[in-house]
Amino acid sequence: MQQKLGRYILQQRLGHGAAGEVYHAVLHGPMGFRKSVALKVLFPFLGDMSDNIQRDLINEARLGSVLKHPNIVETYELGEEDGRLFIAMEYIEGPSLWSLLKKEKHLPPIICVQILRDICSGLKSLGLLSSLFSEFSLTAQLS
C-alpha cells in the first residue's frame, strides 16, 4: 500500500536528517492530473526543538516562494497534514551531487568549475534577497 500525505503519494525516500525526510512524491489532482515533487516532511515529534525547527521550515518555505533562479529549486507549497509540516518543491531527476562524488571520486576540473559556478550563482541570487527577507521576517515578528 502506498503512503499518502495529503494530496501527495510518496514514491521513494530520497534522504533524511535529524528533523525529517525528503521524498519523491506525486501530487494527484482532478482528471488524472499528476505532478512529481520533492516533499520535505518534518518528523511529527521533535521534542524541545520542535518550535524552532518548525519556524525554520516555515521561513525556508517563505524564502523559497520568492526566489526564482535556475539553480534553486522552486517551492510550490507549505502544508500541514496530520500534524506534520511539509514543503512541496520542484523535483529534479538525476543523481545528487553527493552520490556523484561518492561514485566518481575525482571529477574533471571543468565539471568542478561548472558546479561551483552554478552554486555561486544560486547563492548570489539568495544574497540579493536576504535583506528583503530579513525585513519581511522582522515585520512578521512585529505584527
Side-chain angles (χ1 to χ4, degrees), residues 12-102:
Q12 174 186 9
R13 189 172 85 161
L14 301 173
H16 68 281
E21 300 170 302
V22 178
Y23 293 92
H24 171 222
V26 177
L27 168 66
H28 287 259
M31 294 178 237
F33 176 84
R34 289 181 178 26
K35 181 160 186 72
S36 282
V37 299
L39 209 61
K40 182 185 276 190
V41 184
L42 290 184
F43 292 132
F45 303 106
L46 296 168
D48 295 340
M49 305 232 355
S50 182
D51 290 343
N52 291 339
I53 293 169
Q54 287 181 359
R55 185 179 62 242
D56 289 348
L57 187 78
I58 292 166
N59 286 337
E60 178 183 340
R62 285 180 177 152
L63 183 58
S65 72
V66 296
L67 289 173
K68 300 290 181 236
H69 191 277
N71 298 330
I72 299 175
V73 295
E74 188 174 346
T75 298
Y76 300 134
E77 173 184 23
L78 170 67
E80 184 176 7
E81 187 71 29
D82 298 327
R84 298 180 74 185
L85 279 179
F86 64 87
I87 300 176
M89 301 173 284
E90 177 182 7
Y91 175 72
I92 298 175
E93 288 280 344
S96 68
L97 178 56
W98 177 250
S99 66
L100 182 64
L101 291 173
K102 282 191 335 188

